[in-house]
Amino acid sequence: MGDRRLLGELLVEAGLVLREDLEAALAEQRLRGGRLCYQLMRLGKVTPGSLFVFLQDHFGIIAPDLLEILRREPLLDLIPARLAHFYQMVPLRREGDRLLLALAYVDNPSLIPAVEELTGLKVEPVICPPGLIQESLARFFATDDEPGVVRRVLEDSLLVLSDPAKDIFPLTLEVLKESASPVIWLRSLVAEGIKRRCREILLEPVEDGLKVSFRQREGGDSLRLLPGALQTGLGLVLEDLSKMAARGRTVPREGRFRLRHGERRLGILVTSLPSLNGDAYHLRIVEERIRKESLEEMLEDYPQARAGLESSVAARKGILFLAMPEGHCRDQILAALIQAVRWQAGRCIFLAGPHSLPVPGMDARVLEEIRPHALLDSIEAAIEDRPDLLAVHAIETREEAEALFDAGEKRLVVTGVRRADAFEALEWIHQLGLLPQVKEGRLCGILGARMVERICEHCRRRYDLLEEFPNLMAEPSGGGLYFANTGCRACRGAGVVDLEPAFEFLPGDPAIWERLTRPSLPGGIRREGTRSGVKTLYAGVLARAAAGEVDVREPLRLLQLEGRTAG
């Protein structure tokens, strides 16, 4: 009980719970067993968000043995990977007839009994930050996704609507069989909505089936009745893709995923509300629009990233990475970055992908061929032509990265990399064993970026950030009001979401990298990066939210998924 009393005292001192709330949870713990954080969340005495921030700060101190298991050796043979991902749970350790189960949320009352029936063990839940759970799921619990579905642990999922190169296309609803997978049904429903020029689709269970309403902008609905047996499967797919299951059962439940339709990038905003015959799902299809075009405009609100970037490329040698996740307009940001750094260069070669945007004045070589080493061969051929600037749409392998580091000895190299942010790209470079090249001064730096939603002046509502997250900042600056969009005819109702890119810059300074790549960093590399003077994405986006320019849910998404170390 010593550790638990200490944990309770820490929670009271942090202002997360009242003394009487702690006593109630301890009494429930004595009566029913289980862990203190689990009982506090089950009784509704602490908000999940603030508890996650607290746990991210203290989890390694409170439960170092469980943290080590979560990161290195969870139990892999007790729970199917798909269930583990859907319910955000990781089996930690078996102790006789007991199973320690890491969970992010406790508001599904049937989950624990179901896991007990599945495993034949008595489950003891352990509340963990979502970022740690998702990191473990990504590393140890591989899933076989259907073609055209891209699930990212810390990012929005992507549904490919059509891709002829991969033989992915939507079928018409008339030819679909009831036995077809829910993903195929969802793809066809969305395609039908786009064909009808609808921006909203409502899936509502009724007594005699599943009613689908395709809502027209001009008013009026086109209705269709599908077999009721599709309700469960479609609901599970929508909640999985939009990550509703990872956000708890708030009402209404909200989530989002991204849609790729040829070269178009669309967003799908999903809302779920209970109805008489089960959960109804409202899908809103929106165009993602970036108002800023040049890199200078994009960086004007991120002066530290701009200054770091400008100084890093001044020597016109070395490699500069752009780290962005899938579905965040990486091609557009990369094109703006290349255009910004090429102005001093002579000959410029761009090894472009099939969806890359054109960059004026570049010798663009589109890589259409899909075969092993195709990109590596193209890099070697480009180097033989001795360009002053070499740009590559994206790299994935150690061999490609090593070739570009070598190319950076005599020229400036710019390349994209599919990583969530600059720090994840740092970890990737470290894992590839390329730190010697960094220490030799061949790295200009890593520009991390992601798209965030701007505030709509017509439908914004106040959001009390510190009421939900009392431990978010030790000394709240009071620097502004926070707002979130509710959606109106000027934004989501018009089928548009206004986005802007957020940035962080991690310089290639070998001294900084020496600090960031030390083993067992207390608090993680993002916190160490902050100590080293790097303004992270989370800090930058939170400042934009405090200025009333960005939806406050964007930094909270970073906070809850990546943890307190995001800032």
Side-chain angles (χ1 to χ4, degrees):
M1 286 292 294
D3 287 341
R4 285 170 180 159
R5 283 197 301 271
L6 175 60
L7 171 59
E9 293 300 324
L10 288 171
L11 290 167
V12 172
E13 290 172 11
L16 269 71
V17 299
L18 300 175
R19 176 71 60 181
E20 52 266 33
D21 294 336
L22 173 61
E23 295 301 329
L26 288 172
E28 196 72 9
Q29 183 185 42
R30 288 189 292 269
L31 178 64
R32 303 177 185 273
R35 306 219 164 195
L36 180 59
C37 288
Y38 173 75
Q39 296 298 347
L40 283 167
M41 283 185 67
R42 193 180 67 82
L43 294 172
K45 302 299 185 183
V46 62
T47 62
S50 60
L51 181 59
F52 295 151
V53 175
F54 173 85
L55 288 175
Q56 188 73 43
D57 284 344
H58 298 88
F59 194 72
I61 301 171
I62 297 169
D65 57 331
L66 300 184
L67 179 61
E68 189 70 12
I69 294 172
L70 194 62
R71 286 180 166 166
R72 298 191 181 276
E73 49 180 352
L75 298 178
L76 303 179
D77 57 351
L78 288 178
I79 296 176
R82 174 56 62 212
L83 286 179
H85 278 269
F86 185 78
Y87 290 107
Q88 297 290 286
M89 58 183 178
V90 176
L92 294 175
R93 184 169 63 206
R94 182 172 179 171
E95 297 175 347
D97 64 347
R98 289 192 314 138
L99 172 65
L100 294 186
L101 183 68
L103 292 172
Y105 298 94
V106 301
D107 45 12
N108 187 338
S110 62
L111 179 59
I112 300 302
V115 174
E116 289 178 339
E117 183 175 350
L118 176 67
T119 62
L121 300 171
K122 178 70 174 177
V123 170
E124 182 175 339
V126 179
I127 302 301
C128 299
L132 293 179
I133 288 181
Q134 292 172 353
E135 176 187 330
S136 183
L137 290 172
R139 184 174 299 176
F140 299 107
F141 292 81
T143 58
D144 295 324
D145 284 331
E146 289 193 50
V149 176
V150 181
R151 289 178 173 87
R152 302 282 181 180
V153 174
L154 298 181
E155 300 301 329
D156 294 337
S157 299
L158 175 70
L159 176 65
V160 178
L161 195 64
S162 62
D163 188 341
K166 297 181 180 179
D167 198 29
I168 297 173
F169 54 90
L171 301 174
T172 61
L173 294 174
E174 287 77 14
V175 303
L176 274 182
K177 296 182 179 179
E178 186 177 331
S179 59
S181 78
V183 169
I184 292 175
W185 274 100
L186 177 60
R187 181 179 288 120
S188 297
L189 285 169
V190 173
E192 181 73 13
I194 293 174
K195 178 182 175 182
R196 293 171 181 247
R197 303 176 67 85
C198 295
R199 289 295 184 183
E200 298 179 56
I201 303 173
L202 179 63
L203 307 179
E204 184 180 6
V206 293
E207 288 186 3
D208 52 349
L210 178 63
K211 185 173 72 173
V212 181
S213 305
F214 297 98
R215 294 185 170 174
Q216 311 286 344
R217 290 185 60 182
E218 300 79 11
D221 293 356
S222 301
L223 302 179
R224 220 178 227 285
L225 190 65
L226 300 181
L230 298 175
Q231 164 67 12
T232 300
L234 280 170
L236 289 174
V237 166
L238 284 169
E239 294 192 18
D240 187 19
L241 286 177
S242 63
K243 292 185 167 61
M244 282 185 187
R247 295 185 178 119
R249 291 194 63 86
T250 57
V251 177
R253 290 185 294 155
E254 297 178 333
R256 71 184 186 190
F257 62 93
R258 286 187 157 83
L259 186 73
R260 191 169 78 207
H261 182 31
E263 296 186 4
R264 295 176 69 190
R265 298 294 190 274
L266 304 171
I268 306 290
L269 310 178
V270 186
T271 304
S272 171
L273 279 169
S275 69
L276 290 176
N277 297 286
D279 288 344
Y281 297 92
H282 180 201
L283 282 62
R284 183 170 284 164
I285 305 171
V286 294
E287 294 273 1
E288 297 181 331
R289 180 174 62 188
I290 306 175
R291 290 191 175 274
K292 301 177 180 180
E293 295 185 2
S294 71
L295 191 70
E296 183 179 2
E297 290 178 302
M298 295 176 184
L299 285 169
E300 62 184 357
D301 295 307
Y302 299 88
Q304 187 190 63
R306 182 182 65 234
L309 175 63
E310 290 173 351
S311 63
S312 71
V313 300
R316 313 303 297 172
K317 290 183 180 180
I319 181 171
L320 172 65
F321 287 94
L322 173 65
M324 292 189 71
E326 187 74 33
H328 277 252
C329 305
R330 187 178 58 248
D331 291 329
Q332 188 165 344
I333 305 302
L334 180 62
L337 175 60
I338 295 170
Q339 188 68 15
V341 302
R342 68 168 289 272
W343 66 276
Q344 289 183 347
R347 185 175 187 188
C348 306
I349 296 178
F350 180 27
L351 302 181
H355 300 296
S356 296
L357 300 181
V359 181
M362 298 285 287
D363 176 4
R365 305 175 182 182
V366 181
L367 303 176
E368 300 277 6
E369 190 176 4
I370 302 176
R371 63 174 175 82
H373 310 298
L375 178 56
L376 188 60
D377 292 343
S378 298
I379 292 172
E380 293 173 353
I383 293 172
E384 290 179 2
D385 292 334
R386 299 182 179 180
D388 299 290
L389 169 65
L390 174 60
V392 181
H393 75 287
I395 61 172
E396 296 182 359
T397 69
R398 185 188 193 282
E399 292 76 18
E400 293 162 358
E402 196 169 26
L404 291 185
F405 268 108
D406 291 342
E409 287 191 86
K410 298 181 179 180
R411 61 187 57 80
L412 179 62
V413 176
V414 178
T415 183
V417 61
R418 295 181 181 91
R419 291 296 181 273
D421 59 14
F423 291 93
E424 189 175 298
L426 176 154
E427 291 179 317
W428 176 69
I429 293 170
H430 188 192
Q431 291 165 3
L432 294 181
L434 296 175
L435 283 185
Q437 287 88 329
V438 176
K439 293 177 180 178
E440 290 171 6
R442 298 192 213 171
L443 176 67
C444 296
I446 307 174
L447 182 66
R450 66 184 296 129
M451 306 309 297
V452 295
E453 184 177 352
R454 290 181 55 82
I455 278 293
C456 173
E457 295 182 358
H458 302 283
C459 66
R460 67 181 190 175
R461 62 175 172 82
R462 281 285 306 275
Y463 192 103
D464 194 337
L465 186 64
L466 295 184
E467 181 177 332
E468 184 168 350
F469 293 85
N471 55 333
L472 182 60
M473 293 172 282
E475 297 179 3
S477 61
L481 302 175
Y482 296 96
F483 297 96
N485 292 333
T486 58
C488 67
R489 290 186 177 275
C491 58
R492 297 179 183 183
V496 174
V497 170
D498 279 328
L499 303 176
E500 70 171 49
F503 294 97
E504 65 186 356
F505 186 75
L506 187 58
D509 184 344
I512 293 179
W513 278 63
E514 188 73 35
R515 291 197 296 272
L516 294 181
T517 54
R518 289 198 312 253
S520 302
L521 273 176
I525 62 169
R526 289 179 181 83
R527 177 167 297 174
E528 186 64 26
T530 302
R531 294 191 189 106
S532 301
V534 177
K535 191 168 186 178
T536 64
L537 277 173
Y538 165 69
V541 176
L542 184 63
R544 294 286 290 148
E549 299 292 337
V550 167
D551 191 316
V552 71
R553 289 171 296 190
E554 296 290 356
L556 295 186
R557 192 171 285 115
L558 280 169
L559 177 72
Q560 294 200 42
L561 291 179
E562 298 181 14
R564 180 61 171 263
T565 53

